Amino acid sequence: MNSYGTLFRITTFGESHGPAIGVVIDGCPADLEMDENFIQSELDRRRPGQSKITTQRKESDIFKIHSGVFEGKSTGTPIAIVIENQDQRSKDYGHLADAFRPSHADFTYEAKYGHRDYRGGGRSSARETAARVAAGAIAKLLLRKEKIEISGYVSQVGNIKTPPYTQLDLSKTENNIVRCPDEAIADKMIALIDKTRKEQDTIGGMVTCVIKNTPVGLGEPVFDKLHAELGKAMLSINAVKGFEYGSGFDGIQLKGSEHNDEFYNEGGKIKTKTNHSGGIQGGIANGEDIYFNVAFKPVATIMKDQQSVDKEGNVTTVSGKGRHDPCVVPRAVPIVEAMAALVIADFLLRNKVSRM
Amino acid sequence: MNSYGTLFRITTFGESHGPAIGVVIDGCPADLEMDENFIQSELDRRRPGQSKITTQRKESDIFKIHSGVFEGKSTGTPIAIVIENQDQRSKDYGHLADAFRPSHADFTYEAKYGHRDYRGGGRSSARETAARVAAGAIAKLLLRKEKIEISGYVSQVGNIKTPPYTQLDLSKTENNIVRCPDEAIADKMIALIDKTRKEQDTIGGMVTCVIKNTPVGLGEPVFDKLHAELGKAMLSINAVKGFEYGSGFDGIQLKGSEHNDEFYNEGGKIKTKTNHSGGIQGGIANGEDIYFNVAFKPVATIMKDQQSVDKEGNVTTVSGKGRHDPCVVPRAVPIVEAMAALVIADFLLRNKVSRM
Amino acid sequence: MNSYGTLFRITTFGESHGPAIGVVIDGCPADLEMDENFIQSELDRRRPGQSKITTQRKESDIFKIHSGVFEGKSTGTPIAIVIENQDQRSKDYGHLADAFRPSHADFTYEAKYGHRDYRGGGRSSARETAARVAAGAIAKLLLRKEKIEISGYVSQVGNIKTPPYTQLDLSKTENNIVRCPDEAIADKMIALIDKTRKEQDTIGGMVTCVIKNTPVGLGEPVFDKLHAELGKAMLSINAVKGFEYGSGFDGIQLKGSEHNDEFYNEGGKIKTKTNHSGGIQGGIANGEDIYFNVAFKPVATIMKDQQSVDKEGNVTTVSGKGRHDPCVVPRAVPIVEAMAALVIADFLLRNKVSRM
Amino acid sequence: MNSYGTLFRITTFGESHGPAIGVVIDGCPADLEMDENFIQSELDRRRPGQSKITTQRKESDIFKIHSGVFEGKSTGTPIAIVIENQDQRSKDYGHLADAFRPSHADFTYEAKYGHRDYRGGGRSSARETAARVAAGAIAKLLLRKEKIEISGYVSQVGNIKTPPYTQLDLSKTENNIVRCPDEAIADKMIALIDKTRKEQDTIGGMVTCVIKNTPVGLGEPVFDKLHAELGKAMLSINAVKGFEYGSGFDGIQLKGSEHNDEFYNEGGKIKTKTNHSGGIQGGIANGEDIYFNVAFKPVATIMKDQQSVDKEGNVTTVSGKGRHDPCVVPRAVPIVEAMAALVIADFLLRNKVSRM
């Protein structure tokens, strides 16, 4: 199904080259001020064509709220947001009616549904994430009232990496086009992406996200652990191959005596001295910073010719056409943040019913 | 909530030191033969006390089916399985009523619920996973009819790793107590775990899982991508810190031209030459092997003294008591497999309604 | 939440005087031909202003499909349908910002949400049912492929009633403006509604619905019994006060020996001699006709002055303004059918997974 | 699926002649005192064999809590309750392996699942409602803290009826074996049931339920209207054929000017002068009494011989055996109350998230 969340619940719809994409947000509490400028600014962060290292495709991504808002505030009823598709150029995609692009969803959709909208990937296009960003912006407005802050940034492109987030100034993320808060490393990342683009190729990357001021108690035991939902939310983003939080895969090599986070009392507040737990213990937030990494593969659409097969199994050549991102992570930052905001907003509501 | 799955849906219940744990499986199709010996054998693989490198705690984990099975076959109604708790030793845990064990769920449960069963971690104990393994065994019986095979194994303990699964003989996994299919590496892992245990410490590890013969088309677009559900399922297991599939985090450093999996026609069947996609494209299985890694942190319970605080925020010392695993991965293998089986069984049913 | 259905699932949105209303249909199988003329004709049956006994308000109810359809057929992805609101006349409703109309949802929405769109009832307006009718039309297209027929008609207005459906020719329902298949009774109903309208009052009514050719086995035991879902679906329609199926409330006075439906073998097909069961036994369809009654109260908006209070509890007078239906049932027929179609379509999909 | 409720959610399991039946309650807030005597007393109200006008079958219905309760209070984790089946007498049912009992679920289960537990109706047996009553008792404990009272009673048996509830003293319901608060009418009902039993027949009846002190605002707009959920909950009970609330089917004959409930201010509290709305407007509670009627058909099992067919379609005779109720309503009262309590408890929790 195309819905996500339990109480703060979104349903997205739309294909990249259909009339419109959009989202219905159900469960947003009444009385939340809708800052439409903020929603637009979040969409602009995800929008194609924003710099030389993103796709040059132009989409203005103007949204319209159809329902659920009255006199500038939410009413508690479903908020429907529609974004019309403008720069459709269906002709770019006619050649894809039959050929299966390598590492795209063409073949699997064909196998599953029989009938599919092949233009630009249709439903499997990353265009769908614009709807998530719009919904995530509303979730962020909710979190803002609770002082919760979500900060994503690019922490790796190819083999170029930042140090841990605790050594970075996250307020600088938006200062450059790759969205890396360390200026010197950002320059190297930009150069690598630009070089890759000129080689008609693409490169992978990583987005790190930090959530501050989460109330103690968010999250549910057992299946809906806070990090399990964050993981699902991130893995549901196009091109994501991995998720880790806190010590993550590096934690494998640690001993329990090194990994455990000792509790202490800081002026009446229970804190931990270290934070290998990534702010989550037993699936529930403990009040420390939540942080996690999201691995993105290189974009599958490259400008080089590739061998493939068509629907009938005949050998065919797929040539790169259209305008695509050489590296997905700069534009993925707002998407990661949006999905994180949706997860936290949902748990904020769910947590209201854990006690009498 | 304590349920997982959409159509093949489980609900687990129970605390480590309450009367019983168990699971209700709702949505299992009628007419499936219940091989009770197989269910017991899966529980035995997870059971404590099975070797020198696992906890010496004795639990026999005898299950009883209360409903949903008649004349040896499922009836389509809910299958309730109950496992009584036997080796309770509540006295081991009296000292934990107030103290918060580092990197356990004591503090977060207390903060969330106010009132909690502190004995042995209560609901947050890994004992809950016995219920998952019982349900997963039934899911495996379903998959067996479709010839789908799920094989988990230990691929890393501390800094000792196996080569990729394609270079291993997975039929040898159960030949040793650490559940690593490479005998020489297994010996090193066992030695490391044994050494760590003697140091009164614990160590992290990794479980890799391979799923073969998945039908093309399993999985759902957008939020419920096959790998997103696998990720959530794995991250919901106690002590898991990360999940990656296919090329995973290593894929970050690859170029698109290296990473893309070219399609070819093998006697009428569409296959890919490489499998960086990990058998999933656009969230939907393409028929190649699905493979993924699950990172486990070192067990939080160590035998060394640790500083902590109690409910009132007073400094206290937590001393290791009880009988715990020095490394969780050998017993985690059947749990990873069980969760994978539950995910695949659910998508098998969900896939029945994708077309007219 | 504003969603309905498990596998064939709709989410509606929109207020009567906001920019638009609409629905997202998730779970419609791929490859279903979208007969847009049929969808429009169903909307036209519900539309205001269609005859002298309905409201004279003009709404053209032109719908637009935003997604999920390609080359005239469903793709298996969400189908979003939007209907823009045209005849808004917000000025008619300014006086309702504070006054609570008797037996409307003004007071309860205010109490629940604090902030509400009071124009024309906002979300509580029956305008929302246009979205249901659009979605129901698509469900009907699905049922048409299975030869399932749904026929609603007006069986009572005030104290004027039809005989049981088995004595009526349901093909004549659309022959008159009250949608009653018995012409003589229809005339009396129309006269009663017209008289009531002239008295500036409103009157209640009943819709009966018959579903033919339902496959044996539709429905789920226990909570999601076929008639329980039909009941919920009908009771969720504005102004509905009661639901009964088969023998219904009259069955109370029968004896078991009179009420039981004996089975017999009709040329290899198992049938029942009578059908007090209304085609459903143990919550599951037995292949006989399903039939049920839906009771509608008189429309709450009357043209007479009524005493009430405002937000602050001050006494105020509510005067009837705007253009409203003197009796809701003629326009309710397509709504009842739409909800029935949605329930049956959902169970058709759910039934695909009951057996191995 | 065998679950009901959104936030206060139950999953029942079990067949009438399997080892046990039971329920898992997920979402019960922490810190609720578990009054086990009260739970048992509710089960005793539903239990067979309690009087001459109920089945003489003996079931003690002793329950056991397996989880979710610690030191006498809920912990916020799932509460599993198991009731072992004792008086099984499978031999009574051997003759039903093939014959389809008229107006039972034998035929439809066989058609749906192929493989079914035919003993005593298996899953379709009203024995499943014991699990609902146990769960409903816990919901009642929750409601008790909010001062919400639920009172069910028998309002009709055959053609013998009580006056409206406002003319009855509901505290007298438990004073007689038919659970009718009017003693004189109760006597007539008992006589009618006894006469029917001697005729080896059964008779239908009605249960009315009144809910007092519901907070204003409970219920959700659109699909999950408070009365729509109450309707579904009631219709999911075995043998129920109809549901109406407030003015119900009688409201059809009223005019709007008669039916509308005028608001007035009673010492700062907004009330309605009449209550045709049945305490619910626009699907949301307005604070007035909620009241509704539930119609039960005559029990399908009668002691007379009936014609039927078997699996192969051969004509066969079904003779009444076993010990069954001549009229279901006296024992249905606690079931109706339990389902009502579950619905209200769920909406109490859901209502916590409607506003910021």
Side-chain angles (χ1 to χ4, degrees):
Chain A
M1 307 301 253
N2 294 269
S3 298
Y4 189 68
T6 296
L7 292 178
F8 193 99
R9 183 171 177 83
I10 66 168
T11 302
T12 70
F13 58 85
E15 280 74 37
S16 60
H17 287 67
I21 63 164
V23 61
V24 180
I25 301 147
D26 200 4
C28 181
D31 240 2
L32 180 67
E33 282 196 47
M34 280 298 126
D35 181 342
E36 297 207 14
N37 290 332
F38 177 70
I39 301 170
Q40 189 63 57
S41 69
E42 288 291 283
L43 283 169
D44 290 346
R45 290 174 72 207
R46 194 215 71 98
R47 185 165 59 80
Q50 57 185 282
S51 80
K52 67 174 180 178
I53 59 167
T54 64
T55 168
Q56 296 307 300
R57 204 168 55 246
K58 294 289 178 202
E59 286 160 11
S60 52
D61 286 353
I62 303 300
F63 74 96
K64 189 168 174 191
I65 296 179
H66 275 345
S67 63
V69 177
F70 183 60
E71 296 176 344
K73 293 196 294 185
S74 65
T75 60
T77 63
I79 302 170
I81 297 180
V82 172
I83 303 169
E84 291 189 13
N85 290 325
Q86 297 178 312
D87 182 26
Q88 302 190 6
R89 290 209 202 178
S90 292
K91 61 184 177 299
D92 279 7
Y93 297 99
H95 63 296
L96 297 177
D98 299 313
F100 297 137
R101 291 171 298 166
S103 291
H104 272 278
D106 301 340
F107 167 61
T108 51
Y109 269 61
E110 185 74 32
K112 185 177 184 72
Y113 295 111
H115 178 63
R116 70 186 169 97
D117 183 346
Y118 52 78
R119 299 168 301 166
R123 183 73 181 144
S124 73
S125 164
R127 176 135 189 77
E128 183 268 344
T129 58
R132 304 188 188 201
V133 168
I138 292 177
K140 282 186 176 183
L141 292 172
L142 188 76
L143 302 192
R144 196 188 275 178
K145 296 191 75 138
E146 310 280 335
K147 315 282 186 215
I148 302 170
E149 287 168 33
I150 297 183
S151 308
Y153 64 92
V154 170
S155 51
Q156 186 172 351
V157 171
N159 58 358
I160 304 168
K161 300 180 193 184
T162 60
Y165 85 92
T166 48
Q167 299 170 32
L168 299 169
D169 176 356
L170 300 189
S171 72
K172 295 185 174 169
T173 298
E174 295 293 318
N175 291 0
N176 57 65
I177 57 177
V178 78
R179 294 200 166 92
C180 172
D182 182 307
E183 204 59 38
I185 296 170
D187 287 345
K188 287 183 198 165
M189 288 173 169
I190 293 166
L192 175 58
I193 295 173
D194 212 35
K195 175 169 169 288
T196 306
R197 182 180 60 80
K198 285 173 184 156
E199 292 166 359
Q200 305 198 309
D201 215 330
T202 59
I203 186 85
M206 185 153 83
V207 174
T208 296
C209 188
V210 183
I211 309 174
K212 289 178 180 285
N213 301 329
T214 306
V216 184
L218 289 206
E220 300 288 324
V222 188
F223 300 110
D224 297 353
K225 290 183 164 83
L226 179 45
H227 58 268
E229 280 302 339
L230 284 170
K232 176 176 172 177
M234 298 307 144
L235 288 157
S236 78
I237 300 171
N238 304 44
V240 171
K241 303 294 286 187
F243 170 87
E244 60 179 358
Y245 80 105
S247 60
F249 280 86
D250 289 343
I252 293 173
Q253 306 204 24
L254 294 183
K255 295 192 170 175
S257 56
E258 296 165 326
H259 193 280
N260 283 356
D261 298 318
E262 280 191 8
F263 289 108
Y264 72 101
N265 183 334
E266 188 180 77
K269 202 173 165 187
I270 294 176
K271 304 275 298 169
T272 64
K273 290 181 189 166
T274 50
N275 186 17
H276 295 107
S277 298
I280 304 172
Q281 292 175 326
I284 298 170
N286 67 0
E288 304 292 324
D289 289 354
I290 295 170
Y291 62 98
F292 56 85
N293 295 323
V294 187
F296 289 82
K297 69 170 187 175
V299 174
T301 302
I302 58 177
M303 292 300 108
K304 296 177 178 178
D305 282 1
Q306 296 174 91
Q307 284 268 60
S308 190
V309 297
D310 65 16
K311 268 192 201 182
E312 279 70 41
N314 300 315
V315 173
T316 186
T317 298
V318 172
S319 321
K321 287 190 186 171
R323 297 141 296 164
H324 296 276
D325 289 280
C327 181
V328 81
V329 285
R331 290 177 56 211
V333 169
I335 305 169
V336 164
E337 288 179 3
M339 293 308 296
L342 289 165
V343 169
I344 300 295
D346 193 33
F347 279 117
L348 265 178
L349 298 186
R350 293 176 76 174
N351 201 40
K352 289 192 175 189
V353 295
S354 58
R355 293 205 202 188
M356 291 290 294
Chain B
M1 308 299 253
N2 294 268
S3 298
Y4 189 67
T6 297
L7 292 178
F8 193 99
R9 185 171 176 83
I10 66 168
T11 302
T12 69
F13 58 84
E15 280 74 38
S16 60
H17 288 66
I21 62 164
V23 61
V24 179
I25 302 147
D26 200 3
C28 182
D31 239 3
L32 180 67
E33 283 195 49
M34 279 300 125
D35 181 342
E36 298 206 15
N37 291 331
F38 176 70
I39 300 171
Q40 189 62 59
S41 69
E42 288 291 284
L43 283 170
D44 290 346
R45 290 175 72 207
R46 194 213 71 97
R47 186 166 57 81
Q50 58 186 281
S51 80
K52 67 173 181 179
I53 59 168
T54 65
T55 169
Q56 296 306 301
R57 204 168 54 246
K58 293 289 178 202
E59 286 161 12
S60 52
D61 286 352
I62 303 300
F63 74 96
K64 187 167 176 192
I65 297 179
H66 275 346
S67 63
V69 177
F70 183 60
E71 297 176 343
K73 294 196 294 184
S74 65
T75 59
T77 63
I79 301 170
I81 297 180
V82 172
I83 303 169
E84 292 189 12
N85 289 324
Q86 296 178 312
D87 182 26
Q88 302 190 6
R89 291 212 202 176
S90 293
K91 61 184 177 300
D92 278 6
Y93 297 99
H95 63 296
L96 297 176
D98 299 313
F100 297 136
R101 291 170 298 166
S103 291
H104 273 277
D106 301 340
F107 168 62
T108 52
Y109 269 61
E110 184 74 31
K112 186 177 185 71
Y113 295 111
H115 178 63
R116 71 187 167 96
D117 183 346
Y118 52 77
R119 298 168 302 167
R123 183 72 181 144
S124 74
S125 164
R127 175 135 189 77
E128 183 268 344
T129 57
R132 305 187 188 203
V133 168
I138 293 177
K140 281 186 174 183
L141 292 172
L142 188 75
L143 302 192
R144 196 188 273 179
K145 296 190 75 137
E146 310 281 335
K147 315 284 185 213
I148 301 169
E149 287 168 33
I150 297 181
S151 308
Y153 64 92
V154 170
S155 51
Q156 187 173 350
V157 171
N159 57 358
I160 304 168
K161 301 179 192 185
T162 61
Y165 85 92
T166 48
Q167 299 169 32
L168 299 170
D169 176 355
L170 301 188
S171 72
K172 295 187 175 168
T173 297
E174 296 292 319
N175 290 0
N176 56 66
I177 57 176
V178 78
R179 294 200 168 91
C180 172
D182 181 307
E183 203 60 36
I185 296 170
D187 288 345
K188 288 184 198 166
M189 289 172 169
I190 293 166
L192 176 57
I193 295 173
D194 212 36
K195 175 167 169 288
T196 306
R197 183 180 61 79
K198 285 172 185 156
E199 291 166 3
Q200 304 197 311
D201 216 330
T202 58
I203 186 84
M206 185 154 83
V207 173
T208 295
C209 187
V210 183
I211 310 174
K212 288 176 179 288
N213 302 328
T214 306
V216 184
L218 288 205
E220 300 288 323
V222 188
F223 299 110
D224 298 352
K225 289 183 165 82
L226 179 44
H227 57 267
E229 280 302 339
L230 284 170
K232 176 175 172 178
M234 298 308 142
L235 287 156
S236 78
I237 300 171
N238 304 43
V240 171
K241 303 295 286 188
F243 169 87
E244 60 179 357
Y245 80 104
S247 60
F249 279 86
D250 289 343
I252 293 173
Q253 305 203 26
L254 294 182
K255 295 192 169 175
S257 56
E258 297 165 326
H259 192 280
N260 283 356
D261 298 318
E262 280 191 8
F263 289 107
Y264 72 102
N265 184 333
E266 189 181 78
K269 203 174 165 186
I270 294 175
K271 305 273 298 169
T272 64
K273 290 181 189 166
T274 50
N275 186 18
H276 295 106
S277 298
I280 304 173
Q281 291 175 327
I284 298 169
N286 67 0
E288 305 292 325
D289 290 354
I290 294 169
Y291 61 97
F292 56 84
N293 295 323
V294 187
F296 289 82
K297 69 169 186 175
V299 174
T301 302
I302 58 177
M303 293 299 109
K304 296 178 177 174
D305 282 0
Q306 296 174 93
Q307 285 268 58
S308 191
V309 297
D310 64 16
K311 268 192 204 183
E312 280 69 40
N314 300 317
V315 174
T316 185
T317 298
V318 172
S319 322
K321 288 190 187 169
R323 296 141 297 164
H324 295 277
D325 288 281
C327 180
V328 80
V329 285
R331 290 177 56 212
V333 169
I335 305 169
V336 165
E337 289 180 1
M339 291 309 296
L342 289 164
V343 169
I344 299 295
D346 194 32
F347 278 117
L348 264 178
L349 298 186
R350 293 177 74 175
N351 200 40
K352 289 193 176 190
V353 294
S354 57
R355 294 203 202 188
M356 291 289 295
Chain C
M1 308 299 251
N2 294 268
S3 298
Y4 189 68
T6 297
L7 292 178
F8 193 99
R9 184 172 176 83
I10 67 168
T11 302
T12 70
F13 58 84
E15 279 76 35
S16 60
H17 288 67
I21 62 163
V23 60
V24 180
I25 302 147
D26 200 3
C28 182
D31 240 4
L32 180 67
E33 282 196 49
M34 278 301 125
D35 181 342
E36 298 207 14
N37 290 332
F38 176 71
I39 300 170
Q40 188 62 59
S41 70
E42 288 291 284
L43 283 169
D44 290 347
R45 291 173 73 206
R46 194 214 72 97
R47 187 165 56 80
Q50 57 185 282
S51 81
K52 67 174 180 177
I53 58 168
T54 64
T55 169
Q56 296 307 302
R57 204 166 55 247
K58 293 290 178 200
E59 286 160 13
S60 52
D61 286 354
I62 303 300
F63 73 96
K64 190 170 173 189
I65 297 179
H66 276 345
S67 62
V69 178
F70 183 60
E71 296 176 344
K73 295 195 292 184
S74 65
T75 59
T77 63
I79 301 170
I81 296 180
V82 171
I83 303 169
E84 291 189 12
N85 289 325
Q86 297 178 313
D87 183 25
Q88 302 189 4
R89 291 210 202 176
S90 293
K91 61 184 177 304
D92 278 7
Y93 297 99
H95 63 295
L96 297 175
D98 298 313
F100 297 136
R101 291 170 298 167
S103 291
H104 273 277
D106 301 340
F107 168 62
T108 51
Y109 269 62
E110 185 73 33
K112 185 177 185 70
Y113 296 112
H115 177 63
R116 71 187 168 98
D117 183 345
Y118 52 78
R119 300 168 302 167
R123 183 73 180 144
S124 74
S125 165
R127 176 136 189 76
E128 182 268 343
T129 58
R132 304 187 190 202
V133 169
I138 292 177
K140 281 186 175 184
L141 291 173
L142 189 76
L143 302 192
R144 195 188 275 179
K145 297 191 73 138
E146 310 280 335
K147 315 284 187 212
I148 301 169
E149 286 167 33
I150 296 183
S151 307
Y153 64 91
V154 170
S155 51
Q156 187 172 351
V157 171
N159 58 357
I160 304 169
K161 302 180 191 183
T162 60
Y165 85 92
T166 49
Q167 299 170 33
L168 298 169
D169 176 355
L170 301 188
S171 72
K172 295 186 175 168
T173 297
E174 295 292 317
N175 291 359
N176 57 67
I177 58 176
V178 78
R179 293 199 167 92
C180 171
D182 181 307
E183 203 59 37
I185 296 171
D187 287 345
K188 289 184 198 164
M189 288 172 169
I190 292 167
L192 176 57
I193 296 174
D194 212 35
K195 175 169 169 285
T196 306
R197 182 179 60 80
K198 285 172 185 155
E199 292 166 2
Q200 305 198 310
D201 216 330
T202 59
I203 186 83
M206 185 154 82
V207 174
T208 295
C209 188
V210 183
I211 310 174
K212 288 177 179 288
N213 302 329
T214 306
V216 183
L218 289 206
E220 300 287 324
V222 188
F223 300 110
D224 298 352
K225 290 184 164 83
L226 179 45
H227 57 267
E229 279 302 339
L230 285 169
K232 175 175 173 179
M234 298 307 143
L235 288 156
S236 77
I237 299 171
N238 303 45
V240 171
K241 303 294 287 188
F243 170 87
E244 60 179 356
Y245 80 105
S247 60
F249 280 85
D250 288 344
I252 293 173
Q253 305 202 27
L254 293 182
K255 295 195 169 172
S257 57
E258 297 165 325
H259 193 281
N260 283 356
D261 298 317
E262 281 192 6
F263 290 107
Y264 72 101
N265 184 332
E266 188 180 78
K269 203 173 165 186
I270 294 175
K271 304 276 295 168
T272 64
K273 290 181 189 167
T274 50
N275 186 18
H276 295 108
S277 298
I280 304 172
Q281 292 175 327
I284 299 170
N286 68 0
E288 305 293 324
D289 289 355
I290 294 169
Y291 62 97
F292 56 85
N293 295 323
V294 187
F296 290 82
K297 69 169 187 177
V299 173
T301 302
I302 58 176
M303 293 299 107
K304 297 178 177 175
D305 283 359
Q306 296 175 93
Q307 284 268 56
S308 190
V309 297
D310 64 16
K311 269 192 201 183
E312 278 70 39
N314 301 316
V315 174
T316 185
T317 299
V318 172
S319 321
K321 288 190 185 170
R323 296 141 297 165
H324 295 277
D325 289 280
C327 181
V328 81
V329 285
R331 290 177 57 210
V333 169
I335 305 170
V336 164
E337 289 180 2
M339 292 309 296
L342 288 165
V343 169
I344 300 295
D346 194 32
F347 278 117
L348 265 178
L349 297 186
R350 293 176 75 175
N351 200 40
K352 289 193 175 189
V353 295
S354 58
R355 292 204 203 188
M356 292 287 296
Chain D
M1 307 300 251
N2 294 270
S3 298
Y4 189 68
T6 297
L7 292 178
F8 193 98
R9 184 172 176 84
I10 66 168
T11 302
T12 69
F13 58 84
E15 279 76 35
S16 60
H17 288 66
I21 62 164
V23 61
V24 180
I25 301 146
D26 199 4
C28 181
D31 239 3
L32 180 66
E33 282 195 48
M34 280 298 127
D35 181 343
E36 298 206 14
N37 290 332
F38 177 69
I39 300 171
Q40 188 63 57
S41 69
E42 289 291 283
L43 283 169
D44 290 347
R45 291 174 72 207
R46 194 214 71 97
R47 186 164 58 80
Q50 57 185 282
S51 82
K52 66 174 180 177
I53 59 168
T54 64
T55 169
Q56 296 307 303
R57 204 169 55 247
K58 294 288 180 202
E59 286 160 13
S60 51
D61 286 353
I62 303 301
F63 73 97
K64 187 167 175 190
I65 297 179
H66 276 344
S67 63
V69 177
F70 183 61
E71 295 174 345
K73 293 195 294 184
S74 66
T75 59
T77 63
I79 302 170
I81 297 180
V82 172
I83 303 169
E84 291 188 13
N85 289 324
Q86 296 178 311
D87 182 25
Q88 303 190 7
R89 289 211 202 177
S90 292
K91 60 183 177 306
D92 277 7
Y93 297 99
H95 62 297
L96 296 175
D98 298 312
F100 296 137
R101 290 170 298 166
S103 291
H104 273 277
D106 301 340
F107 168 61
T108 52
Y109 269 61
E110 184 74 31
K112 186 177 184 73
Y113 296 112
H115 178 64
R116 71 188 168 97
D117 182 345
Y118 52 78
R119 297 169 302 168
R123 183 71 180 147
S124 74
S125 165
R127 174 132 190 80
E128 183 268 343
T129 58
R132 304 187 189 201
V133 169
I138 292 177
K140 282 186 175 182
L141 292 173
L142 189 75
L143 302 192
R144 194 188 276 179
K145 297 191 72 138
E146 311 280 334
K147 316 282 186 214
I148 302 170
E149 287 168 33
I150 297 182
S151 307
Y153 64 93
V154 171
S155 51
Q156 188 173 351
V157 171
N159 58 358
I160 303 168
K161 301 180 193 184
T162 61
Y165 84 91
T166 48
Q167 300 169 31
L168 298 169
D169 177 356
L170 301 188
S171 71
K172 295 186 175 167
T173 298
E174 296 292 318
N175 290 0
N176 55 66
I177 57 177
V178 78
R179 295 202 165 89
C180 172
D182 181 307
E183 202 60 37
I185 296 171
D187 287 346
K188 288 184 198 165
M189 288 173 170
I190 293 166
L192 175 57
I193 295 173
D194 212 36
K195 175 170 168 287
T196 306
R197 182 179 62 78
K198 286 172 184 155
E199 292 166 2
Q200 305 199 309
D201 216 331
T202 60
I203 186 83
M206 186 154 82
V207 173
T208 296
C209 187
V210 183
I211 309 175
K212 288 175 178 289
N213 302 330
T214 306
V216 184
L218 289 206
E220 301 287 324
V222 189
F223 301 109
D224 298 352
K225 290 183 164 84
L226 179 45
H227 57 267
E229 280 302 340
L230 284 170
K232 176 176 172 176
M234 298 307 143
L235 288 156
S236 78
I237 299 171
N238 303 43
V240 171
K241 303 294 286 188
F243 170 88
E244 60 179 357
Y245 79 105
S247 60
F249 279 85
D250 288 343
I252 293 172
Q253 306 202 25
L254 293 182
K255 295 197 169 169
S257 57
E258 298 165 326
H259 193 280
N260 283 355
D261 298 318
E262 280 191 7
F263 289 108
Y264 71 102
N265 183 331
E266 189 181 79
K269 201 172 168 189
I270 295 176
K271 304 275 296 168
T272 65
K273 290 180 190 165
T274 50
N275 186 18
H276 295 108
S277 297
I280 304 172
Q281 291 175 328
I284 298 170
N286 67 0
E288 304 293 325
D289 290 353
I290 295 169
Y291 62 97
F292 56 85
N293 294 324
V294 186
F296 289 81
K297 68 169 187 177
V299 173
T301 303
I302 58 176
M303 293 299 109
K304 296 178 177 174
D305 283 0
Q306 297 175 92
Q307 284 269 57
S308 190
V309 297
D310 64 15
K311 269 192 203 182
E312 279 70 38
N314 301 315
V315 174
T316 185
T317 298
V318 172
S319 321
K321 288 191 186 170
R323 296 141 296 166
H324 296 277
D325 288 280
C327 180
V328 80
V329 285
R331 289 177 55 211
V333 170
I335 305 170
V336 164
E337 289 180 0
M339 291 309 296
L342 289 165
V343 169
I344 300 296
D346 194 31
F347 278 117
L348 265 179
L349 298 186
R350 292 176 76 175
N351 200 40
K352 289 194 175 187
V353 294
S354 57
R355 293 204 202 187
M356 291 291 295

